[in-house]
Amino acid sequence: MTDQIVRDNHRGWIASASFFVLFMLPAMVGQFGVDRPVWATGLAVGGLVLYGVGYVLLPVAVWRASTSWQVSVGVAYMGAAAALSTVATPYIFIWAFALCAVIVPGWWMVPVHGVAFLVLVIVLPGSYMGLLVILLSVTLLCRAVVHMIDVNRELRLARDQVTALAVADERGRIARDLHDVLGHSLTTVTVKAGLARRMLEAGVGIDRALAEMRDVERLSQQALADIAATVSGERSASLAAELVGAKEVLRAAGIDADFPLAVDDVAPEYQEAFAFALREGVTNVVRHSAGATRCEVRLGGRWLEVRDDGDPVPAAANPSRVDGGGNGLTGLSQRLGGIGARLEAGPLPSQGFRLRVEVPA
């Protein structure tokens, strides 16, 4: 139970109990009309005052105490009602039955209330039959209220947990999408800017260098648009579009692209997830595959595979390239979990690196 829920329960009980205690005032005022010593009257009034204060504060004090403490307090308060009934009215038991129904847990309420009720049935004259009905009604009503409070508490806890999970899920989604957007876009921008710089330094291909810089500008604008779409939750990915973009970034990096001509073989429900897998795989080829000159992409109805011919030693030593390693593959694994796909990433036996995504049949 959270502290806020506890405070709300305490405030609610104190407010309602304080109002209910006001009905003790006639019994207190009636003590002054009894012919007895002043000290006896003071003792009776003081006992009723403490009885009322206890009714308000005892549940707050023992709400989270052990069962033994709660039962003991309930029995003691019932005993106080029995003592005060000798100087006041048997109706004083109404508050004792109400309090015990609130603080005595579970089936312990049956013996506590049962014994007190049985004693009152034996001791009280028939004219107090109405009181017995009231005590039974108050007990059932208070117990029902306690049950409603418990249910409301559980609902609030469940709501808070759902909210926390939703916030964590949304943070994870934004982190994955930002990694996909910035990782791929900045890699492409870096490659193209480097290519343009080398052309300008060599004094050749001025027009080509300007074309690359225009692409850098376009990609930067697209990255800004993707970030805005990511934050708003409206971003999606197209496998066909990712193939085109992957060819472009590989070309700028000087890596030959061996790609399929179409994506029709991939089931439509898997294409968006495979698009993110393709983006991550090609980005890692450009960033991490030392000496790679060729990148192959193969597609099937339920699988996608990205291979390169780079040096496998740096790839294997880089934790961001193996399954369960960096943020990219971790986020990709979480995304692929939505379609039940399995991710495999690691160096090939001879040369190169492979990333494979497959949805089990």
Side-chain angles (χ1 to χ4, degrees):
M1 186 187 303
T2 65
D3 291 339
Q4 183 59 45
I5 295 176
V6 172
R7 287 193 294 269
D8 290 344
N9 287 342
H10 288 176
R11 283 195 293 265
W13 168 259
I14 290 174
S16 60
S18 298
F19 175 78
F20 196 33
V21 161
L22 294 178
F23 292 95
M24 290 186 188
L25 288 177
M28 295 180 185
V29 174
Q31 300 303 311
F32 295 99
V34 179
D35 186 15
R36 60 188 171 191
V38 175
W39 65 266
T41 299
L43 189 62
V45 172
L48 288 171
V49 170
L50 291 177
Y51 186 73
V53 172
Y55 181 78
V56 175
L57 299 182
L58 283 177
V60 175
V62 302
W63 219 314
R64 303 174 77 175
S66 64
T67 299
S68 59
W69 263 104
Q70 292 172 335
V71 173
S72 299
V73 170
V75 171
Y77 197 78
M78 194 72 76
L84 290 172
S85 66
T86 60
V87 296
T89 168
Y91 282 90
I92 206 72
F93 277 99
I94 293 176
W95 287 268
F97 272 70
L99 182 135
C100 288
V102 170
I103 68 173
V104 176
W107 290 103
W108 282 102
M109 186 189 74
V110 176
V112 173
H113 284 76
V115 170
F117 191 82
L118 182 60
V119 170
L120 291 177
V121 169
I122 296 172
V123 172
L124 294 178
S127 59
Y128 282 99
M129 183 60 66
L131 171 61
L132 298 177
V133 174
I134 292 174
L135 293 178
L136 183 60
S137 301
V138 166
T139 299
L140 295 177
L141 177 62
C142 290
R143 201 63 181 180
V145 171
V146 169
H147 177 69
M148 291 177 60
I149 291 174
D150 289 340
V151 171
N152 182 63
R153 178 197 64 204
E154 293 174 359
L155 289 175
R156 291 182 64 178
L157 287 174
R159 182 194 64 188
D160 292 343
Q161 290 174 355
V162 169
T163 301
L165 290 174
V167 170
D169 184 68
E170 182 65 8
R171 286 176 177 171
R173 180 193 67 80
I174 293 176
R176 291 193 301 268
D177 288 354
L178 286 179
H179 178 276
D180 292 341
V181 170
L182 296 179
H184 178 77
S185 298
L186 292 179
T187 296
T188 305
V189 166
T190 300
V191 170
K192 286 183 169 292
L195 178 60
R197 176 185 57 79
R198 290 192 296 272
M199 290 180 176
L200 292 174
E201 288 176 347
V204 296
I206 303 299
D207 293 338
R208 172 73 183 282
L210 290 175
E212 296 294 342
M213 293 308 299
R214 293 190 189 97
D215 284 343
V216 167
E217 181 182 11
R218 176 182 59 80
L219 289 168
S220 300
Q221 294 172 346
Q222 182 61 45
L224 291 175
D226 286 344
I227 291 174
T230 295
V231 173
S232 64
E234 299 175 352
R235 180 173 174 266
S236 60
S238 165
L239 182 56
E242 288 299 330
L243 280 175
V244 175
K247 288 180 181 179
E248 182 178 354
V249 69
L250 289 171
R251 177 191 59 79
I255 300 174
D256 293 333
D258 184 0
F259 282 14
L261 299 178
V263 298
D264 299 338
D265 291 341
V266 180
E269 61 268 26
Y270 303 144
Q271 288 196 11
E272 182 173 2
F274 283 12
F276 287 110
L278 175 62
R279 170 176 285 204
E280 179 67 20
V282 171
T283 299
N284 284 343
V285 169
V286 175
R287 294 176 62 186
H288 302 302
S289 285
T293 61
R294 180 181 177 84
C295 177
E296 299 179 3
V297 173
R298 295 292 180 262
L299 297 172
R302 309 171 69 91
W303 59 272
L304 173 144
E305 188 170 285
V306 180
R307 289 173 174 246
D308 65 71
D309 61 351
D311 186 353
V313 176
N318 191 333
S320 65
R321 293 214 66 190
V322 296
D323 189 15
N327 293 329
L329 292 182
T330 299
L332 180 60
S333 297
Q334 295 172 352
R335 191 189 298 279
L336 294 173
I339 61 171
R342 182 176 62 250
L343 172 65
E344 297 177 2
L348 294 170
S350 57
Q351 184 80 6
F353 193 89
R354 183 189 71 163
L355 181 146
R356 181 179 177 86
V357 174
E358 183 173 2
V359 181

PDB file of all heavy atoms in Angstrom, residues 16-45:
ATOM      1  N   SER A  16     -15.059  10.523   9.126  1.00  0.00           N
ATOM      2  CA  SER A  16     -16.335   9.832   9.373  1.00  0.00           C
ATOM      3  C   SER A  16     -16.492   9.454  10.845  1.00  0.00           C
ATOM      4  O   SER A  16     -17.586   9.578  11.418  1.00  0.00           O
ATOM      5  CB  SER A  16     -16.433   8.589   8.492  1.00  0.00           C
ATOM      6  OG  SER A  16     -15.365   7.685   8.770  1.00  0.00           O
ATOM      7  N   ALA A  17     -15.401   8.990  11.486  1.00  0.00           N
ATOM      8  CA  ALA A  17     -15.483   8.591  12.893  1.00  0.00           C
ATOM      9  C   ALA A  17     -15.760   9.795  13.794  1.00  0.00           C
ATOM     10  O   ALA A  17     -16.519   9.693  14.778  1.00  0.00           O
ATOM     11  CB  ALA A  17     -14.190   7.898  13.310  1.00  0.00           C
ATOM     12  N   SER A  18     -15.158  10.939  13.481  1.00  0.00           N
ATOM     13  CA  SER A  18     -15.390  12.137  14.289  1.00  0.00           C
ATOM     14  C   SER A  18     -16.863  12.538  14.243  1.00  0.00           C
ATOM     15  O   SER A  18     -17.445  12.961  15.262  1.00  0.00           O
ATOM     16  CB  SER A  18     -14.516  13.290  13.795  1.00  0.00           C
ATOM     17  OG  SER A  18     -13.135  12.957  13.925  1.00  0.00           O
ATOM     18  N   PHE A  19     -17.468  12.411  13.072  1.00  0.00           N
ATOM     19  CA  PHE A  19     -18.901  12.718  12.972  1.00  0.00           C
ATOM     20  C   PHE A  19     -19.723  11.711  13.773  1.00  0.00           C
ATOM     21  O   PHE A  19     -20.662  12.082  14.492  1.00  0.00           O
ATOM     22  CB  PHE A  19     -19.317  12.700  11.499  1.00  0.00           C
ATOM     23  CG  PHE A  19     -20.797  12.884  11.298  1.00  0.00           C
ATOM     24  CD1 PHE A  19     -21.379  14.143  11.399  1.00  0.00           C
ATOM     25  CD2 PHE A  19     -21.613  11.799  11.005  1.00  0.00           C
ATOM     26  CE1 PHE A  19     -22.752  14.310  11.223  1.00  0.00           C
ATOM     27  CE2 PHE A  19     -22.980  11.954  10.824  1.00  0.00           C
ATOM     28  CZ  PHE A  19     -23.549  13.217  10.935  1.00  0.00           C
ATOM     29  N   PHE A  20     -19.388  10.438  13.697  1.00  0.00           N
ATOM     30  CA  PHE A  20     -20.131   9.394  14.394  1.00  0.00           C
ATOM     31  C   PHE A  20     -20.019   9.551  15.912  1.00  0.00           C
ATOM     32  O   PHE A  20     -20.962   9.250  16.667  1.00  0.00           O
ATOM     33  CB  PHE A  20     -19.614   8.029  13.955  1.00  0.00           C
ATOM     34  CG  PHE A  20     -20.524   6.888  14.300  1.00  0.00           C
ATOM     35  CD1 PHE A  20     -21.905   7.040  14.322  1.00  0.00           C
ATOM     36  CD2 PHE A  20     -20.001   5.639  14.605  1.00  0.00           C
ATOM     37  CE1 PHE A  20     -22.738   5.981  14.629  1.00  0.00           C
ATOM     38  CE2 PHE A  20     -20.828   4.574  14.921  1.00  0.00           C
ATOM     39  CZ  PHE A  20     -22.203   4.746  14.935  1.00  0.00           C
ATOM     40  N   VAL A  21     -18.861  10.020  16.372  1.00  0.00           N
ATOM     41  CA  VAL A  21     -18.637  10.203  17.809  1.00  0.00           C
ATOM     42  C   VAL A  21     -19.557  11.276  18.384  1.00  0.00           C
ATOM     43  O   VAL A  21     -19.891  11.259  19.586  1.00  0.00           O
ATOM     44  CB  VAL A  21     -17.151  10.538  18.065  1.00  0.00           C
ATOM     45  CG1 VAL A  21     -16.952  11.175  19.436  1.00  0.00           C
ATOM     46  CG2 VAL A  21     -16.309   9.283  17.965  1.00  0.00           C
ATOM     47  N   LEU A  22     -19.997  12.222  17.571  1.00  0.00           N
ATOM     48  CA  LEU A  22     -20.880  13.284  18.070  1.00  0.00           C
ATOM     49  C   LEU A  22     -22.167  12.705  18.668  1.00  0.00           C
ATOM     50  O   LEU A  22     -22.785  13.339  19.537  1.00  0.00           O
ATOM     51  CB  LEU A  22     -21.225  14.252  16.932  1.00  0.00           C
ATOM     52  CG  LEU A  22     -20.054  15.074  16.366  1.00  0.00           C
ATOM     53  CD1 LEU A  22     -20.530  15.937  15.212  1.00  0.00           C
ATOM     54  CD2 LEU A  22     -19.420  15.936  17.454  1.00  0.00           C
ATOM     55  N   PHE A  23     -22.546  11.519  18.228  1.00  0.00           N
ATOM     56  CA  PHE A  23     -23.765  10.912  18.768  1.00  0.00           C
ATOM     57  C   PHE A  23     -23.571  10.384  20.193  1.00  0.00           C
ATOM     58  O   PHE A  23     -24.529   9.908  20.814  1.00  0.00           O
ATOM     59  CB  PHE A  23     -24.231   9.779  17.848  1.00  0.00           C
ATOM     60  CG  PHE A  23     -24.724  10.270  16.511  1.00  0.00           C
ATOM     61  CD1 PHE A  23     -23.875  10.317  15.418  1.00  0.00           C
ATOM     62  CD2 PHE A  23     -26.028  10.712  16.374  1.00  0.00           C
ATOM     63  CE1 PHE A  23     -24.332  10.773  14.185  1.00  0.00           C
ATOM     64  CE2 PHE A  23     -26.492  11.181  15.142  1.00  0.00           C
ATOM     65  CZ  PHE A  23     -25.635  11.217  14.042  1.00  0.00           C
ATOM     66  N   MET A  24     -22.337  10.454  20.704  1.00  0.00           N
ATOM     67  CA  MET A  24     -22.106  10.115  22.107  1.00  0.00           C
ATOM     68  C   MET A  24     -22.440  11.268  23.057  1.00  0.00           C
ATOM     69  O   MET A  24     -22.524  11.077  24.275  1.00  0.00           O
ATOM     70  CB  MET A  24     -20.624   9.744  22.338  1.00  0.00           C
ATOM     71  CG  MET A  24     -20.194   8.435  21.743  1.00  0.00           C
ATOM     72  SD  MET A  24     -18.484   8.074  22.243  1.00  0.00           S
ATOM     73  CE  MET A  24     -18.135   6.632  21.236  1.00  0.00           C
ATOM     74  N   LEU A  25     -22.620  12.471  22.509  1.00  0.00           N
ATOM     75  CA  LEU A  25     -22.821  13.646  23.356  1.00  0.00           C
ATOM     76  C   LEU A  25     -24.019  13.502  24.300  1.00  0.00           C
ATOM     77  O   LEU A  25     -23.926  13.889  25.486  1.00  0.00           O
ATOM     78  CB  LEU A  25     -22.969  14.896  22.472  1.00  0.00           C
ATOM     79  CG  LEU A  25     -21.685  15.376  21.791  1.00  0.00           C
ATOM     80  CD1 LEU A  25     -21.976  16.571  20.891  1.00  0.00           C
ATOM     81  CD2 LEU A  25     -20.646  15.757  22.844  1.00  0.00           C
ATOM     82  N   PRO A  26     -25.158  12.972  23.838  1.00  0.00           N
ATOM     83  CA  PRO A  26     -26.267  12.818  24.801  1.00  0.00           C
ATOM     84  C   PRO A  26     -25.900  11.959  26.000  1.00  0.00           C
ATOM     85  O   PRO A  26     -26.320  12.252  27.140  1.00  0.00           O
ATOM     86  CB  PRO A  26     -27.373  12.168  23.954  1.00  0.00           C
ATOM     87  CG  PRO A  26     -27.080  12.615  22.553  1.00  0.00           C
ATOM     88  CD  PRO A  26     -25.588  12.642  22.469  1.00  0.00           C
ATOM     89  N   ALA A  27     -25.124  10.868  25.757  1.00  0.00           N
ATOM     90  CA  ALA A  27     -24.717  10.016  26.872  1.00  0.00           C
ATOM     91  C   ALA A  27     -23.794  10.768  27.820  1.00  0.00           C
ATOM     92  O   ALA A  27     -23.875  10.599  29.057  1.00  0.00           O
ATOM     93  CB  ALA A  27     -24.024   8.756  26.342  1.00  0.00           C
ATOM     94  N   MET A  28     -22.912  11.626  27.276  1.00  0.00           N
ATOM     95  CA  MET A  28     -22.022  12.408  28.137  1.00  0.00           C
ATOM     96  C   MET A  28     -22.807  13.447  28.934  1.00  0.00           C
ATOM     97  O   MET A  28     -22.625  13.607  30.155  1.00  0.00           O
ATOM     98  CB  MET A  28     -20.964  13.111  27.279  1.00  0.00           C
ATOM     99  CG  MET A  28     -20.018  12.168  26.569  1.00  0.00           C
ATOM    100  SD  MET A  28     -18.803  13.082  25.584  1.00  0.00           S
ATOM    101  CE  MET A  28     -17.964  11.735  24.759  1.00  0.00           C
ATOM    102  N   VAL A  29     -23.697  14.161  28.268  1.00  0.00           N
ATOM    103  CA  VAL A  29     -24.477  15.198  28.955  1.00  0.00           C
ATOM    104  C   VAL A  29     -25.367  14.576  30.024  1.00  0.00           C
ATOM    105  O   VAL A  29     -25.569  15.137  31.112  1.00  0.00           O
ATOM    106  CB  VAL A  29     -25.328  15.989  27.929  1.00  0.00           C
ATOM    107  CG1 VAL A  29     -26.263  16.964  28.652  1.00  0.00           C
ATOM    108  CG2 VAL A  29     -24.422  16.740  26.966  1.00  0.00           C
ATOM    109  N   GLY A  30     -25.868  13.371  29.730  1.00  0.00           N
ATOM    110  CA  GLY A  30     -26.747  12.712  30.689  1.00  0.00           C
ATOM    111  C   GLY A  30     -26.064  12.347  31.979  1.00  0.00           C
ATOM    112  O   GLY A  30     -26.746  12.123  33.010  1.00  0.00           O
ATOM    113  N   GLN A  31     -24.748  12.300  31.998  1.00  0.00           N
ATOM    114  CA  GLN A  31     -24.022  11.951  33.219  1.00  0.00           C
ATOM    115  C   GLN A  31     -24.164  13.018  34.291  1.00  0.00           C
ATOM    116  O   GLN A  31     -24.065  12.735  35.502  1.00  0.00           O
ATOM    117  CB  GLN A  31     -22.530  11.723  32.902  1.00  0.00           C
ATOM    118  CG  GLN A  31     -22.257  10.614  31.917  1.00  0.00           C
ATOM    119  CD  GLN A  31     -22.836   9.292  32.376  1.00  0.00           C
ATOM    120  OE1 GLN A  31     -22.641   8.864  33.523  1.00  0.00           O
ATOM    121  NE2 GLN A  31     -23.567   8.637  31.471  1.00  0.00           N
ATOM    122  N   PHE A  32     -24.396  14.259  33.878  1.00  0.00           N
ATOM    123  CA  PHE A  32     -24.470  15.352  34.850  1.00  0.00           C
ATOM    124  C   PHE A  32     -25.817  15.384  35.583  1.00  0.00           C
ATOM    125  O   PHE A  32     -25.957  16.080  36.573  1.00  0.00           O
ATOM    126  CB  PHE A  32     -24.238  16.693  34.150  1.00  0.00           C
ATOM    127  CG  PHE A  32     -22.852  16.833  33.575  1.00  0.00           C
ATOM    128  CD1 PHE A  32     -22.622  16.606  32.231  1.00  0.00           C
ATOM    129  CD2 PHE A  32     -21.789  17.169  34.389  1.00  0.00           C
ATOM    130  CE1 PHE A  32     -21.346  16.732  31.693  1.00  0.00           C
ATOM    131  CE2 PHE A  32     -20.517  17.299  33.863  1.00  0.00           C
ATOM    132  CZ  PHE A  32     -20.288  17.065  32.520  1.00  0.00           C
ATOM    133  N   GLY A  33     -26.782  14.651  35.119  1.00  0.00           N
ATOM    134  CA  GLY A  33     -28.078  14.627  35.797  1.00  0.00           C
ATOM    135  C   GLY A  33     -28.237  13.461  36.744  1.00  0.00           C
ATOM    136  O   GLY A  33     -29.331  13.263  37.308  1.00  0.00           O
ATOM    137  N   VAL A  34     -27.189  12.673  36.928  1.00  0.00           N
ATOM    138  CA  VAL A  34     -27.258  11.506  37.807  1.00  0.00           C
ATOM    139  C   VAL A  34     -26.851  11.911  39.223  1.00  0.00           C
ATOM    140  O   VAL A  34     -25.878  12.654  39.418  1.00  0.00           O
ATOM    141  CB  VAL A  34     -26.352  10.379  37.273  1.00  0.00           C
ATOM    142  CG1 VAL A  34     -26.412   9.168  38.199  1.00  0.00           C
ATOM    143  CG2 VAL A  34     -26.766   9.993  35.858  1.00  0.00           C
ATOM    144  N   ASP A  35     -27.605  11.408  40.212  1.00  0.00           N
ATOM    145  CA  ASP A  35     -27.324  11.739  41.605  1.00  0.00           C
ATOM    146  C   ASP A  35     -26.205  10.849  42.134  1.00  0.00           C
ATOM    147  O   ASP A  35     -26.415   9.684  42.508  1.00  0.00           O
ATOM    148  CB  ASP A  35     -28.594  11.524  42.435  1.00  0.00           C
ATOM    149  CG  ASP A  35     -28.392  11.994  43.898  1.00  0.00           C
ATOM    150  OD1 ASP A  35     -27.396  12.714  44.138  1.00  0.00           O
ATOM    151  OD2 ASP A  35     -29.211  11.599  44.743  1.00  0.00           O
ATOM    152  N   ARG A  36     -24.990  11.400  42.129  1.00  0.00           N
ATOM    153  CA  ARG A  36     -23.811  10.664  42.601  1.00  0.00           C
ATOM    154  C   ARG A  36     -22.710  11.677  42.874  1.00  0.00           C
ATOM    155  O   ARG A  36     -22.812  12.852  42.488  1.00  0.00           O
ATOM    156  CB  ARG A  36     -23.354   9.645  41.561  1.00  0.00           C
ATOM    157  CG  ARG A  36     -22.965  10.235  40.236  1.00  0.00           C
ATOM    158  CD  ARG A  36     -22.719   9.176  39.195  1.00  0.00           C
ATOM    159  NE  ARG A  36     -22.552   9.779  37.874  1.00  0.00           N
ATOM    160  CZ  ARG A  36     -22.542   9.071  36.747  1.00  0.00           C
ATOM    161  NH1 ARG A  36     -22.708   7.759  36.779  1.00  0.00           N
ATOM    162  NH2 ARG A  36     -22.392   9.672  35.593  1.00  0.00           N
ATOM    163  N   PRO A  37     -21.617  11.252  43.488  1.00  0.00           N
ATOM    164  CA  PRO A  37     -20.521  12.188  43.778  1.00  0.00           C
ATOM    165  C   PRO A  37     -19.948  12.810  42.507  1.00  0.00           C
ATOM    166  O   PRO A  37     -19.988  12.220  41.418  1.00  0.00           O
ATOM    167  CB  PRO A  37     -19.495  11.315  44.499  1.00  0.00           C
ATOM    168  CG  PRO A  37     -20.283  10.171  45.056  1.00  0.00           C
ATOM    169  CD  PRO A  37     -21.396   9.931  44.090  1.00  0.00           C
ATOM    170  N   VAL A  38     -19.405  13.996  42.694  1.00  0.00           N
ATOM    171  CA  VAL A  38     -18.837  14.719  41.547  1.00  0.00           C
ATOM    172  C   VAL A  38     -17.703  13.923  40.914  1.00  0.00           C
ATOM    173  O   VAL A  38     -17.567  13.878  39.683  1.00  0.00           O
ATOM    174  CB  VAL A  38     -18.345  16.110  41.988  1.00  0.00           C
ATOM    175  CG1 VAL A  38     -17.635  16.816  40.835  1.00  0.00           C
ATOM    176  CG2 VAL A  38     -19.512  16.945  42.498  1.00  0.00           C
ATOM    177  N   TRP A  39     -16.878  13.308  41.756  1.00  0.00           N
ATOM    178  CA  TRP A  39     -15.740  12.563  41.201  1.00  0.00           C
ATOM    179  C   TRP A  39     -16.213  11.395  40.337  1.00  0.00           C
ATOM    180  O   TRP A  39     -15.579  11.056  39.322  1.00  0.00           O
ATOM    181  CB  TRP A  39     -14.828  12.062  42.317  1.00  0.00           C
ATOM    182  CG  TRP A  39     -15.460  11.039  43.237  1.00  0.00           C
ATOM    183  CD1 TRP A  39     -16.093  11.276  44.416  1.00  0.00           C
ATOM    184  CD2 TRP A  39     -15.519   9.620  43.018  1.00  0.00           C
ATOM    185  NE1 TRP A  39     -16.549  10.114  44.972  1.00  0.00           N
ATOM    186  CE2 TRP A  39     -16.198   9.072  44.125  1.00  0.00           C
ATOM    187  CE3 TRP A  39     -15.053   8.770  42.018  1.00  0.00           C
ATOM    188  CZ2 TRP A  39     -16.441   7.702  44.246  1.00  0.00           C
ATOM    189  CZ3 TRP A  39     -15.281   7.418  42.144  1.00  0.00           C
ATOM    190  CH2 TRP A  39     -15.978   6.882  43.244  1.00  0.00           C
ATOM    191  N   ALA A  40     -17.348  10.766  40.720  1.00  0.00           N
ATOM    192  CA  ALA A  40     -17.869   9.658  39.931  1.00  0.00           C
ATOM    193  C   ALA A  40     -18.383  10.160  38.574  1.00  0.00           C
ATOM    194  O   ALA A  40     -18.194   9.509  37.534  1.00  0.00           O
ATOM    195  CB  ALA A  40     -18.978   8.945  40.693  1.00  0.00           C
ATOM    196  N   THR A  41     -19.030  11.331  38.624  1.00  0.00           N
ATOM    197  CA  THR A  41     -19.498  11.923  37.356  1.00  0.00           C
ATOM    198  C   THR A  41     -18.319  12.284  36.460  1.00  0.00           C
ATOM    199  O   THR A  41     -18.335  12.027  35.250  1.00  0.00           O
ATOM    200  CB  THR A  41     -20.341  13.178  37.644  1.00  0.00           C
ATOM    201  OG1 THR A  41     -21.478  12.808  38.431  1.00  0.00           O
ATOM    202  CG2 THR A  41     -20.801  13.813  36.351  1.00  0.00           C
ATOM    203  N   GLY A  42     -17.297  12.878  37.051  1.00  0.00           N
ATOM    204  CA  GLY A  42     -16.100  13.212  36.265  1.00  0.00           C
ATOM    205  C   GLY A  42     -15.443  11.983  35.686  1.00  0.00           C
ATOM    206  O   GLY A  42     -14.965  11.994  34.533  1.00  0.00           O
ATOM    207  N   LEU A  43     -15.412  10.918  36.477  1.00  0.00           N
ATOM    208  CA  LEU A  43     -14.816   9.686  35.990  1.00  0.00           C
ATOM    209  C   LEU A  43     -15.613   9.097  34.819  1.00  0.00           C
ATOM    210  O   LEU A  43     -15.040   8.636  33.818  1.00  0.00           O
ATOM    211  CB  LEU A  43     -14.727   8.672  37.130  1.00  0.00           C
ATOM    212  CG  LEU A  43     -13.939   7.387  36.853  1.00  0.00           C
ATOM    213  CD1 LEU A  43     -12.476   7.729  36.560  1.00  0.00           C
ATOM    214  CD2 LEU A  43     -14.033   6.436  38.057  1.00  0.00           C
ATOM    215  N   ALA A  44     -16.929   9.154  34.925  1.00  0.00           N
ATOM    216  CA  ALA A  44     -17.777   8.620  33.859  1.00  0.00           C
ATOM    217  C   ALA A  44     -17.626   9.448  32.581  1.00  0.00           C
ATOM    218  O   ALA A  44     -17.494   8.898  31.476  1.00  0.00           O
ATOM    219  CB  ALA A  44     -19.238   8.597  34.318  1.00  0.00           C
ATOM    220  N   VAL A  45     -17.645  10.782  32.735  1.00  0.00           N
ATOM    221  CA  VAL A  45     -17.501  11.649  31.550  1.00  0.00           C
ATOM    222  C   VAL A  45     -16.115  11.466  30.921  1.00  0.00           C
ATOM    223  O   VAL A  45     -15.968  11.387  29.692  1.00  0.00           O
ATOM    224  CB  VAL A  45     -17.739  13.121  31.937  1.00  0.00           C
ATOM    225  CG1 VAL A  45     -17.401  14.046  30.754  1.00  0.00           C
ATOM    226  CG2 VAL A  45     -19.188  13.320  32.372  1.00  0.00           C
TER     227      VAL A  45
END
